Amino acid sequence: MIRFFVYGIPVLLVALLVASFVTVASFSTDRKNELTIGSIGEPTKLNPIQSAESGASEVEGFVFEALLQYDANLEITTQLAKSFTLSQTTTVFFQDPAAAAAALQLVEAARPSWSAWSLQAARTDGQRLLLDLTLPGMEASAKIFSLFDPKTALPLATLRVETEKARATLEDFQKANPDIAIERSWFDYDAAFEITVAGEGTSVEERLKKFLTGTGNAQATAAVSETRNFLAEPLVHFVLRDDVRWHDGAPFTSRDVAFTYRAIMDETVASPRKPDFDLIQKIETPNPYEALVTYRKPYSPALNSWMMPLIPAHILEDKPASWWADNFNRNPIGTGPFKFSRWKTNESLRLVRNDDYYQGPPWLEGIVFRYLPDPISIRLAFMTRQTDFWGVSPWAVSSLLNDSRFQIFRYPANSYEYVGWNLRNPLFQDVRVRTAFAHAVNGPQMIEFILYGNGVQSNGIFPPHFWFSNPEIKPIPYDPAAAARLLDEAGWKPGPDGIRVKDGKRMAFTLIVNQANEVRKDIATLVQDNLRSLGVEVNVEIYEWAVFISRFINKLEFEATVLGWSTGPDFDVYQVWHSSQSNPEQLNFVGYKNPRVDTLIEQIRQEYNPATIKAMAGEIQKLIFEDQPYLFLFVPNSTSVIWKDSFRICRPDGKGGFMDTPVEVTKAGWTYYMQWFYRPEFAGKLPPKREVRP
Amino acid sequence: MITFIVRRLLISLVLVFFISLISFFIITLTPGSPYPWGELNPKISESVKANFRKQFHLDEPIWKQYWFNMRGLFTGELRSIKDGRPVLERITERLPATLALNVCAIVIALSFGLLVGVYSARVAGQWQDTALSTVSFALLAIPEFWVAYLLIIGLTEWFAVPLMGTVSHGIVFPNALASSLDWIWHLALPATLLALGSVAAQSRYVRASMLETLREDYIRTARAKGLPSEKVLYHHALRNSLRPVITGIGGLLPALIGGAVIIETIFAYPGIGRLGYQAVLERDYPTLVALNFITAVLVLLGNLLADILYSLVDPRVRLE
Amino acid sequence: MNPPAQTPLARVVSRFRRNRIGLISLAAIIVLFVVAAVFAVLSFAHVPFPMDPNATNLERKLLPPNLTNWLGTDNLGRDLFSRMLHGSYISLTVGFVAVAVSLLIGVVVGAISGYFGRWVDNIIMRAVDAIMCFPTFFLILTAVALLGPSMLNIIVVIGLVSWTGTARLVRAEFLTLRETEYVRAARALGQRTPAIIFRHILPNAFAPIFVTAVLGIPAAILTEAGLSFLGFGVQPPQATWGNIISDGKTYLLDAWWLIVFPGLAIFLAALAFYLAGDALRQAAETRSERK
């Protein structure tokens, strides 16, 4: 008996191991008409308005759809919307109805200029003069406003009140002060509200303050946040597709658009997307296939935010946040070409073909994501064809380049890496010093050896492939002699130990990097090495992300840091470069301040004309580049690889027919044509081809 | 016996309270705070951050946070900061895989530990004994990720056998037997690696305690009486030295759970170790609190059970 | 009055001498020590011997072992051999100091518990149970991740977590030794408690404690390596065996030398300590002989 335990069980175990090995090894993989992706980043919640990480958007991109999308060339086009039009209503307030009528006559008299202003109609409503413009923006409205006698016009004051229970507070305030005419109101969760009143607003501010202290709300604050000459309120009019159904069969309507907006603004949903929608005054849905979005002020990047996928109202409305987390977020329902099927946590996630897709069912039967937490496993799984796709790191691409079995995709990423100098530190306040550092760091070599050539040198805050990027800015060349000269000029002379000194202070600083990012660690080591030969002592310190952010970056307690920005093609850089954003917890953590840049940043957000946007963005980029608050390093390539014989694309050629091509990569990434991917061995078994309605 | 159990349970209750208290404060007072939005995201505004802190009570005083966490843990309403799901659900969905892995590892550790230990005891002092002990220590001294990589690279590159996760992807097995063998295959290698160190340690225990027993008077008497040495070895010596081995299982558990982080990562195995590791990186306080609490309870119960078991196996020990 | 201390020690030494594996391991440990000490000095004095461990040379990146770079180069062209030599003292320091910390705590706690017995013992042993409740590696990982992976933190955390075994051992020794004649005699003669503990009991418990300590060193070294693998070891640019592996594992399939050589170093060092410790244990094992 005991002897059996001692010898029998080990023998049994070994036998079992051998049997299982033989079994597994004897079966070969059945290739299905599916695509398998090996990925490190597992989503946390499959809800596009609650998740912000790349792992989730990778999956959501196939399940959900938005009103608008980028086309293959990264230009905005429609998806669930059939069309969209922009317009604007500008409202000017006058002392009394008579003044408004007089102003209307001035506008009527200037009728020849109407088309230049894109003005379509003008009318009065009591003391208000309303102007309908076909193009949103501030410029035309300002010109019209200059026709009027400023003494007869009333300014508009916006007051912001931070208080608990904002909705109830405003209601009570209105009841207590029925004489105050509130033109517009808006709530920032239930934690603050903004109201707009005609006039300077100072008296309203005082009454608000008195009201708040009177109700014992001691922590609340009230202040005039903005005074304007007129209200310029852009309007986006979406006409929706009428042939779209959610995966459960319910029709997609404008109710879903309005609901998605409401959900984003709801505090229990805690959507990270909310700031994109903060400038919306209201959304109206006159019928199921029309949605009218009114903005509180011109904000040209707003259109981009409608590329955010929509969620189904008929499922989520009136459900608590916990229901979302327990049900929908792990069993999502969208309108996209693939339906969610199954998610085994920490293992895999499966999507299947949506047979009712309005553009016809996709060719592939499904997409499988396999979550492998170790980069080596991902690579092994790909090399043994357990997965079809590998988001390969730039350095590993070089070993696959000459291998005919693979097809490699390389396209510029929407990101750039930099070294940020804390400009509050006296060491970095001289622009000559910062420029010298830029001369001293060997950028081309860094790209050659860290990225294996998969990238270009960065020439400022906008990657060169963005349409508004300024092509005239040239990266600062590697020139150690010029660097040394600049430091000499700035008064930093080599000291006894080879390190430069000025006024008894050694040129030494600490460069912090976040852990788990190999590229940034390598950058830090190279910067340290390059600057050492210039006579600068760099001490590299590496911290885990959570610590890196909360202890150093958010508290602005660092000297220099290696970081990267990854953004869509967005010309609004308010959060990162406006001087008002340089407090703790904000993103202008280097403390950059340039009044001209501030003005431009404020103006460009209100500008809708592409040519003007390009000019202004170019100037912002140039000014910031000249100031060198960052050492701009490079824009890397996104690199990925698939097995060449795995897939082909058969997609509409735009002329009513289909074209069959190898897998091709677009500016918008390699998954852009995913619904038209198929495996060649299944070519005969694909769903019937349908005519695609544009 | 019953008074013993009641007393131990009470002591354990107090202990669990202190453990939860200490671990909560260590977790929350250290630098770093949850940042659930991936990389630095320029679009996240201050009001979004403030609302997030409010939703998860992160703006409350720490003792209140502790209260919320503990209350949530017992009502089952404690939710992860990361995905908003109840932490208990996140833990239990990984429990089957973790248990399978650990039970498998314990079985391997005990059976092979016994085998090697018994053999070493039989050949004590000879060259085989020296060789086995050297090999045992070599197993203890190998960094586990090293062997793991060696195995995974070797097997996938040379044999192209799927190794990651709990099942082979893309293979349709014809019957339940084949698919359960597939499951065993995915369990076997990580479990073996987990067990390597314990095999070495267990075999040393068994060997030592067997040699000790063999020197006892009654064994000598048995031998002198002319009982065949095989029978003496297995019947008397081994049976006596089995007791500490069996009761030592309780001590193996925490070591295995903790050691699993690296193995689970390399083999893409969906276990609790990875969950905990992720929670640490993301500062997912509720998940960490719950994990700590549950492990503590499990291990205290395990200890208690081991003590009771010990008293049942060995009548000389009396619980008081 | 004094316990017979000399004779057992001499016997242990002479028995250890007869153990070939033990001697070889001991020799390996001594070599390791000398190397670590020499390069610790070189490292602090910034002497680039055999090469500067931190000097990058991108033209010579990821070279396999060759005549200039005996063990090859890493992804930034740094010489692996130099990095391993200059990093050797880190592993040893972590191992030794962590064990010293754990010994200190373990001996004090175990001694108090074992000497006083009764409720003191009860409380302390329950606390030990509590600490043993946690999966050790995970506890260390959590603490190091949260506190920040500096060498000091790693040492302290490993030490703080691993003293329970020593404490139990010391307590057990004390419980036995407390009842021996010479301790009773000392107590009868009116010696004070600390004196009894330090003069009479500890020296007799020395052998098993020493063995646990020696066996604790490789465990600490391996723990640091595991932490490094997950990115929570001693952080670069300071080269250590652990972080060479953690940086090199990205290149595992293309540059095997980055993970094989430092891994081998960790393995051999740990093995040497284990074997030496085991040899020591055998040599110090007296009870079996008495029977």
Side-chain angles (χ1 to χ4, degrees), chain A residues 374 376 379-380 395 399 445 449-450 452 515 518 521-522 525-526 528-529 532 540 542 544 547, chain C residues 54 56 58-59 61-62 75-76 78 145 231-232 235-237 247 249-254:
Chain A
D374 190 279
I376 303 283
R379 178 165 171 185
L380 282 172
W395 62 268
S399 63
Q445 197 194 32
F449 289 99
I450 296 184
Y452 286 72
Q515 188 223 77
E518 298 300 326
K521 273 199 253 183
D522 289 350
T525 313
L526 289 183
Q528 181 186 36
D529 226 36
R532 190 192 291 139
V540 176
I542 299 174
E544 181 217 347
V547 176
Chain C
N54 293 318
T56 62
L58 292 176
E59 261 84 42
K61 66 186 284 188
L62 292 180
N75 59 318
L76 295 176
R78 294 172 293 192
F232 288 104
Q235 293 295 303
D247 283 355
K249 75 169 194 264
T250 325
Y251 306 92
L252 175 59
L253 292 167
D254 308 82

Short mmCIF file of all heavy atoms in Angstrom, two decimals, chain A residues 374 376 379-380 395 399 445 449-450 452 515 518 521-522 525-526 528-529 532 540 542 544 547, chain C residues 54 56 58-59 61-62 75-76 78 145 231-232 235-237 247 249-254:
data_model
loop_
_atom_site.label_atom_id
_atom_site.label_comp_id
_atom_site.label_asym_id
_atom_site.label_seq_id
_atom_site.Cartn_x
_atom_site.Cartn_y
_atom_site.Cartn_z
N ASP A 374 3.31 38.16 -21.25
CA ASP A 374 4.76 38.27 -21.41
C ASP A 374 5.09 38.45 -22.88
O ASP A 374 4.61 37.70 -23.73
CB ASP A 374 5.40 36.98 -20.87
CG ASP A 374 6.90 37.11 -20.77
OD1 ASP A 374 7.58 36.95 -21.80
OD2 ASP A 374 7.37 37.39 -19.67
N ILE A 376 7.60 37.71 -24.59
CA ILE A 376 8.22 36.54 -25.20
C ILE A 376 7.13 35.54 -25.63
O ILE A 376 7.19 34.96 -26.72
CB ILE A 376 9.18 35.86 -24.20
CG1 ILE A 376 10.23 36.84 -23.72
CG2 ILE A 376 9.82 34.63 -24.81
CD1 ILE A 376 11.33 37.13 -24.65
N ARG A 379 5.49 36.62 -28.80
CA ARG A 379 6.32 36.35 -29.97
C ARG A 379 6.32 34.87 -30.31
O ARG A 379 6.16 34.49 -31.48
CB ARG A 379 7.74 36.84 -29.69
CG ARG A 379 8.68 36.57 -30.82
CD ARG A 379 9.94 37.36 -30.67
NE ARG A 379 10.94 36.97 -31.63
CZ ARG A 379 12.17 37.46 -31.62
NH1 ARG A 379 12.51 38.33 -30.70
NH2 ARG A 379 13.03 37.08 -32.51
N LEU A 380 6.46 34.02 -29.29
CA LEU A 380 6.47 32.57 -29.55
C LEU A 380 5.15 32.12 -30.16
O LEU A 380 5.13 31.34 -31.11
CB LEU A 380 6.70 31.82 -28.24
CG LEU A 380 8.14 31.79 -27.74
CD1 LEU A 380 8.20 31.18 -26.36
CD2 LEU A 380 9.02 31.02 -28.70
N TRP A 395 12.64 47.04 -32.58
CA TRP A 395 13.95 46.38 -32.73
C TRP A 395 13.81 44.96 -33.27
O TRP A 395 14.68 44.47 -33.96
CB TRP A 395 14.71 46.39 -31.42
CG TRP A 395 14.03 45.64 -30.35
CD1 TRP A 395 13.16 46.14 -29.43
CD2 TRP A 395 14.12 44.24 -30.09
NE1 TRP A 395 12.69 45.15 -28.63
CE2 TRP A 395 13.28 43.97 -29.01
CE3 TRP A 395 14.84 43.20 -30.67
CZ2 TRP A 395 13.12 42.70 -28.50
CZ3 TRP A 395 14.69 41.94 -30.17
CH2 TRP A 395 13.84 41.70 -29.09
N SER A 399 14.80 41.83 -37.54
CA SER A 399 15.17 40.45 -37.82
C SER A 399 14.16 39.76 -38.74
O SER A 399 14.41 38.68 -39.23
CB SER A 399 15.30 39.68 -36.50
OG SER A 399 14.05 39.65 -35.85
N GLN A 445 21.27 58.94 -34.14
CA GLN A 445 21.82 57.69 -33.63
C GLN A 445 20.80 56.96 -32.75
O GLN A 445 20.67 55.75 -32.78
CB GLN A 445 23.09 58.00 -32.82
CG GLN A 445 23.94 56.78 -32.59
CD GLN A 445 25.00 57.02 -31.54
OE1 GLN A 445 24.79 57.78 -30.59
NE2 GLN A 445 26.14 56.37 -31.70
N PHE A 449 19.55 53.22 -33.43
CA PHE A 449 19.91 52.09 -32.59
C PHE A 449 18.83 51.69 -31.58
O PHE A 449 18.77 50.54 -31.18
CB PHE A 449 21.23 52.35 -31.87
CG PHE A 449 22.39 52.30 -32.81
CD1 PHE A 449 22.94 53.46 -33.32
CD2 PHE A 449 22.91 51.08 -33.21
CE1 PHE A 449 23.99 53.41 -34.21
CE2 PHE A 449 23.97 51.03 -34.10
CZ PHE A 449 24.50 52.20 -34.60
N ILE A 450 18.00 52.60 -31.16
CA ILE A 450 16.94 52.19 -30.24
C ILE A 450 15.73 51.73 -31.04
O ILE A 450 15.08 50.75 -30.71
CB ILE A 450 16.54 53.34 -29.29
CG1 ILE A 450 17.71 53.70 -28.39
CG2 ILE A 450 15.36 52.92 -28.43
CD1 ILE A 450 17.39 54.74 -27.36
N TYR A 452 15.82 51.07 -34.37
CA TYR A 452 16.27 50.39 -35.59
C TYR A 452 15.74 51.11 -36.83
O TYR A 452 15.25 50.48 -37.76
CB TYR A 452 15.84 48.93 -35.57
CG TYR A 452 16.66 48.10 -34.63
CD1 TYR A 452 16.50 48.24 -33.27
CD2 TYR A 452 17.62 47.21 -35.10
CE1 TYR A 452 17.28 47.50 -32.39
CE2 TYR A 452 18.39 46.47 -34.23
CZ TYR A 452 18.21 46.62 -32.88
OH TYR A 452 18.98 45.90 -32.01
N GLN A 515 9.32 53.11 -15.05
CA GLN A 515 9.75 51.73 -15.26
C GLN A 515 8.84 51.04 -16.27
O GLN A 515 7.76 51.53 -16.56
CB GLN A 515 9.66 51.06 -13.89
CG GLN A 515 10.22 49.71 -13.80
CD GLN A 515 9.26 48.87 -13.01
OE1 GLN A 515 8.26 48.43 -13.49
NE2 GLN A 515 9.59 48.68 -11.75
N GLU A 518 10.92 50.09 -21.93
CA GLU A 518 12.31 49.84 -22.29
C GLU A 518 12.89 50.99 -23.11
O GLU A 518 14.02 51.40 -22.92
CB GLU A 518 12.41 48.54 -23.11
CG GLU A 518 11.97 47.29 -22.36
CD GLU A 518 12.79 47.04 -21.11
OE1 GLU A 518 14.00 47.34 -21.13
OE2 GLU A 518 12.23 46.57 -20.11
N LYS A 521 13.80 53.94 -20.96
CA LYS A 521 14.98 53.66 -20.15
C LYS A 521 16.24 53.82 -20.99
O LYS A 521 17.22 54.40 -20.56
CB LYS A 521 14.90 52.23 -19.59
CG LYS A 521 14.16 52.15 -18.28
CD LYS A 521 14.52 50.86 -17.55
CE LYS A 521 13.37 49.89 -17.62
NZ LYS A 521 13.61 48.65 -16.89
N ASP A 522 16.17 53.30 -22.23
CA ASP A 522 17.33 53.41 -23.12
C ASP A 522 17.60 54.86 -23.46
O ASP A 522 18.76 55.30 -23.52
CB ASP A 522 17.09 52.59 -24.39
CG ASP A 522 17.13 51.09 -24.12
OD1 ASP A 522 17.52 50.72 -23.00
OD2 ASP A 522 16.78 50.31 -25.01
N THR A 525 19.45 56.48 -20.66
CA THR A 525 20.86 56.10 -20.59
C THR A 525 21.67 56.84 -21.65
O THR A 525 22.78 57.31 -21.40
CB THR A 525 21.00 54.59 -20.79
OG1 THR A 525 20.05 53.94 -19.97
CG2 THR A 525 22.38 54.12 -20.44
N LEU A 526 21.11 56.96 -22.86
CA LEU A 526 21.84 57.64 -23.93
C LEU A 526 21.96 59.14 -23.66
O LEU A 526 23.01 59.73 -23.91
CB LEU A 526 21.16 57.39 -25.28
CG LEU A 526 21.29 55.96 -25.80
CD1 LEU A 526 20.64 55.83 -27.15
CD2 LEU A 526 22.76 55.56 -25.87
N GLN A 528 22.05 60.52 -20.78
CA GLN A 528 23.05 60.61 -19.73
C GLN A 528 24.46 60.54 -20.31
O GLN A 528 25.33 61.35 -20.00
CB GLN A 528 22.83 59.45 -18.75
CG GLN A 528 23.79 59.41 -17.59
CD GLN A 528 23.60 58.15 -16.76
OE1 GLN A 528 23.31 57.07 -17.29
NE2 GLN A 528 23.73 58.28 -15.46
N ASP A 529 24.65 59.61 -21.23
CA ASP A 529 25.95 59.40 -21.85
C ASP A 529 26.35 60.59 -22.72
O ASP A 529 27.47 61.08 -22.64
CB ASP A 529 25.87 58.13 -22.70
CG ASP A 529 27.06 57.24 -22.48
OD1 ASP A 529 27.52 57.19 -21.32
OD2 ASP A 529 27.52 56.62 -23.45
N ARG A 532 27.14 63.64 -20.61
CA ARG A 532 28.35 63.52 -19.82
C ARG A 532 29.54 64.06 -20.61
O ARG A 532 30.37 64.77 -20.10
CB ARG A 532 28.61 62.07 -19.42
CG ARG A 532 29.72 61.93 -18.40
CD ARG A 532 30.16 60.48 -18.22
NE ARG A 532 29.13 59.68 -17.59
CZ ARG A 532 28.85 58.44 -17.97
NH1 ARG A 532 29.51 57.87 -18.96
NH2 ARG A 532 27.90 57.76 -17.36
N VAL A 540 20.30 59.18 -13.45
CA VAL A 540 19.03 58.60 -13.91
C VAL A 540 18.34 57.86 -12.76
O VAL A 540 18.97 57.10 -12.04
CB VAL A 540 19.27 57.62 -15.08
CG1 VAL A 540 17.97 56.94 -15.49
CG2 VAL A 540 19.86 58.36 -16.27
N ILE A 542 14.72 55.58 -11.87
CA ILE A 542 13.59 54.90 -12.50
C ILE A 542 12.52 54.60 -11.46
O ILE A 542 12.83 54.10 -10.38
CB ILE A 542 14.08 53.60 -13.16
CG1 ILE A 542 15.11 53.94 -14.23
CG2 ILE A 542 12.93 52.81 -13.76
CD1 ILE A 542 15.77 52.77 -14.86
N GLU A 544 8.34 53.29 -10.71
CA GLU A 544 7.14 52.63 -11.19
C GLU A 544 6.10 53.71 -11.54
O GLU A 544 6.04 54.77 -10.91
CB GLU A 544 6.62 51.71 -10.10
CG GLU A 544 5.40 50.94 -10.46
CD GLU A 544 4.49 50.82 -9.28
OE1 GLU A 544 4.94 51.12 -8.16
OE2 GLU A 544 3.33 50.46 -9.47
N VAL A 547 3.99 55.66 -8.95
CA VAL A 547 4.81 56.53 -8.10
C VAL A 547 5.34 57.70 -8.93
O VAL A 547 5.32 58.85 -8.50
CB VAL A 547 5.99 55.72 -7.52
CG1 VAL A 547 6.91 56.61 -6.71
CG2 VAL A 547 5.47 54.57 -6.68
N ASN C 54 29.08 51.21 -17.54
CA ASN C 54 27.94 52.04 -17.93
C ASN C 54 28.15 52.76 -19.26
O ASN C 54 27.29 53.50 -19.70
CB ASN C 54 27.64 53.07 -16.85
CG ASN C 54 27.12 52.40 -15.60
OD1 ASN C 54 26.31 51.48 -15.66
ND2 ASN C 54 27.63 52.82 -14.45
N THR C 56 28.01 53.39 -22.95
CA THR C 56 27.29 52.81 -24.07
C THR C 56 28.14 52.93 -25.33
O THR C 56 28.99 53.81 -25.44
CB THR C 56 25.96 53.54 -24.33
OG1 THR C 56 26.25 54.90 -24.65
CG2 THR C 56 25.08 53.49 -23.11
N LEU C 58 26.88 52.25 -29.10
CA LEU C 58 25.78 51.73 -29.90
C LEU C 58 26.24 50.94 -31.12
O LEU C 58 25.53 50.06 -31.60
CB LEU C 58 24.85 52.85 -30.34
CG LEU C 58 24.08 53.48 -29.17
CD1 LEU C 58 23.25 54.64 -29.64
CD2 LEU C 58 23.19 52.45 -28.50
N GLU C 59 27.46 51.24 -31.62
CA GLU C 59 27.94 50.48 -32.79
C GLU C 59 28.18 49.02 -32.42
O GLU C 59 28.18 48.16 -33.28
CB GLU C 59 29.23 51.09 -33.34
CG GLU C 59 29.02 51.99 -34.55
CD GLU C 59 28.64 53.40 -34.14
OE1 GLU C 59 29.26 53.88 -33.18
OE2 GLU C 59 27.72 53.99 -34.75
N LYS C 61 26.35 47.05 -30.29
CA LYS C 61 25.26 46.54 -29.48
C LYS C 61 24.93 45.09 -29.79
O LYS C 61 25.15 44.63 -30.91
CB LYS C 61 24.02 47.42 -29.68
CG LYS C 61 23.46 47.32 -31.08
CD LYS C 61 22.34 48.31 -31.28
CE LYS C 61 21.09 47.82 -30.59
NZ LYS C 61 19.93 48.65 -30.90
N LEU C 62 24.42 44.40 -28.79
CA LEU C 62 23.94 43.02 -28.93
C LEU C 62 24.92 42.09 -29.64
O LEU C 62 24.53 41.29 -30.48
CB LEU C 62 22.58 42.99 -29.65
CG LEU C 62 21.39 43.58 -28.88
CD1 LEU C 62 20.14 43.49 -29.72
CD2 LEU C 62 21.19 42.88 -27.55
N ASN C 75 21.93 45.70 -25.23
CA ASN C 75 21.28 46.44 -26.32
C ASN C 75 21.80 47.86 -26.48
O ASN C 75 21.47 48.53 -27.43
CB ASN C 75 19.77 46.45 -26.10
CG ASN C 75 19.40 47.09 -24.79
OD1 ASN C 75 20.06 46.86 -23.77
ND2 ASN C 75 18.39 47.93 -24.79
N LEU C 76 22.58 48.36 -25.51
CA LEU C 76 23.18 49.68 -25.69
C LEU C 76 24.69 49.56 -25.89
O LEU C 76 25.41 50.53 -25.79
CB LEU C 76 22.87 50.57 -24.48
CG LEU C 76 21.39 50.91 -24.30
CD1 LEU C 76 21.19 51.71 -23.02
CD2 LEU C 76 20.85 51.68 -25.48
N ARG C 78 26.84 47.99 -23.99
CA ARG C 78 27.65 47.94 -22.78
C ARG C 78 28.19 46.53 -22.60
O ARG C 78 27.54 45.56 -22.97
CB ARG C 78 26.82 48.36 -21.56
CG ARG C 78 26.41 49.81 -21.63
CD ARG C 78 25.45 50.17 -20.54
NE ARG C 78 24.16 49.50 -20.72
CZ ARG C 78 23.07 49.83 -20.02
NH1 ARG C 78 23.13 50.78 -19.12
NH2 ARG C 78 21.94 49.19 -20.23
N ALA C 145 7.08 47.06 -4.29
CA ALA C 145 6.42 47.85 -5.34
C ALA C 145 5.87 49.13 -4.74
O ALA C 145 5.98 50.21 -5.33
CB ALA C 145 5.30 47.04 -5.98
N GLY C 231 10.71 43.47 -12.59
CA GLY C 231 11.01 44.89 -12.70
C GLY C 231 11.07 45.62 -11.38
O GLY C 231 11.11 46.84 -11.34
N PHE C 232 11.07 44.87 -10.27
CA PHE C 232 11.11 45.54 -8.97
C PHE C 232 12.39 45.24 -8.20
O PHE C 232 12.40 45.31 -6.99
CB PHE C 232 9.88 45.16 -8.15
CG PHE C 232 8.64 45.79 -8.68
CD1 PHE C 232 7.72 45.06 -9.40
CD2 PHE C 232 8.42 47.13 -8.50
CE1 PHE C 232 6.59 45.65 -9.92
CE2 PHE C 232 7.30 47.74 -9.00
CZ PHE C 232 6.38 47.00 -9.72
N GLN C 235 17.27 49.11 -9.16
CA GLN C 235 17.01 49.72 -10.47
C GLN C 235 18.27 50.11 -11.21
O GLN C 235 19.25 50.50 -10.59
CB GLN C 235 16.13 50.95 -10.27
CG GLN C 235 14.73 50.61 -9.80
CD GLN C 235 13.96 49.82 -10.83
OE1 GLN C 235 13.78 50.24 -11.94
NE2 GLN C 235 13.52 48.61 -10.45
N PRO C 236 18.27 49.98 -12.55
CA PRO C 236 19.36 50.52 -13.33
C PRO C 236 19.39 52.05 -13.15
O PRO C 236 18.40 52.58 -12.71
CB PRO C 236 18.98 50.14 -14.76
CG PRO C 236 17.57 49.69 -14.74
CD PRO C 236 17.19 49.43 -13.34
N PRO C 237 20.44 52.73 -13.51
CA PRO C 237 21.63 52.27 -14.23
C PRO C 237 22.59 51.41 -13.40
O PRO C 237 23.46 50.80 -13.99
CB PRO C 237 22.31 53.57 -14.66
CG PRO C 237 21.75 54.63 -13.80
CD PRO C 237 20.44 54.18 -13.33
N ASP C 247 16.34 43.58 -17.95
CA ASP C 247 16.46 44.37 -19.18
C ASP C 247 16.68 43.47 -20.39
O ASP C 247 16.25 43.78 -21.49
CB ASP C 247 17.64 45.35 -19.07
CG ASP C 247 17.28 46.55 -18.22
OD1 ASP C 247 16.11 46.64 -17.82
OD2 ASP C 247 18.17 47.37 -17.94
N LYS C 249 15.64 40.37 -20.91
CA LYS C 249 14.66 39.34 -21.26
C LYS C 249 13.86 39.72 -22.50
O LYS C 249 13.37 38.85 -23.20
CB LYS C 249 13.75 39.03 -20.08
CG LYS C 249 12.70 40.07 -19.78
CD LYS C 249 11.71 39.48 -18.77
CE LYS C 249 10.46 40.29 -18.65
NZ LYS C 249 10.41 41.25 -17.56
N THR C 250 13.79 41.03 -22.79
CA THR C 250 13.16 41.46 -24.03
C THR C 250 13.86 40.85 -25.23
O THR C 250 13.25 40.57 -26.25
CB THR C 250 13.24 42.99 -24.14
OG1 THR C 250 13.12 43.54 -22.84
CG2 THR C 250 12.18 43.52 -25.06
N TYR C 251 15.19 40.70 -25.10
CA TYR C 251 15.98 40.26 -26.25
C TYR C 251 16.30 38.77 -26.17
O TYR C 251 17.18 38.28 -26.86
CB TYR C 251 17.28 41.07 -26.31
CG TYR C 251 17.02 42.55 -26.32
CD1 TYR C 251 16.98 43.28 -25.13
CD2 TYR C 251 16.74 43.22 -27.50
CE1 TYR C 251 16.70 44.62 -25.12
CE2 TYR C 251 16.46 44.56 -27.52
CZ TYR C 251 16.44 45.27 -26.32
OH TYR C 251 16.15 46.59 -26.33
N LEU C 252 15.53 38.08 -25.31
CA LEU C 252 15.84 36.69 -25.01
C LEU C 252 16.03 35.82 -26.25
O LEU C 252 16.97 35.04 -26.33
CB LEU C 252 14.70 36.13 -24.14
CG LEU C 252 14.75 34.66 -23.79
CD1 LEU C 252 16.03 34.36 -23.06
CD2 LEU C 252 13.57 34.32 -22.91
N LEU C 253 15.16 35.99 -27.23
CA LEU C 253 15.22 35.09 -28.38
C LEU C 253 16.30 35.47 -29.37
O LEU C 253 16.63 34.70 -30.26
CB LEU C 253 13.85 35.05 -29.08
CG LEU C 253 12.76 34.39 -28.25
CD1 LEU C 253 11.40 34.67 -28.84
CD2 LEU C 253 12.99 32.91 -28.14
N ASP C 254 16.87 36.67 -29.22
CA ASP C 254 17.91 37.09 -30.16
C ASP C 254 19.27 37.17 -29.50
O ASP C 254 20.28 37.09 -30.15
CB ASP C 254 17.57 38.47 -30.74
CG ASP C 254 16.18 38.49 -31.31
OD1 ASP C 254 15.23 38.67 -30.52
OD2 ASP C 254 16.05 38.32 -32.52
#
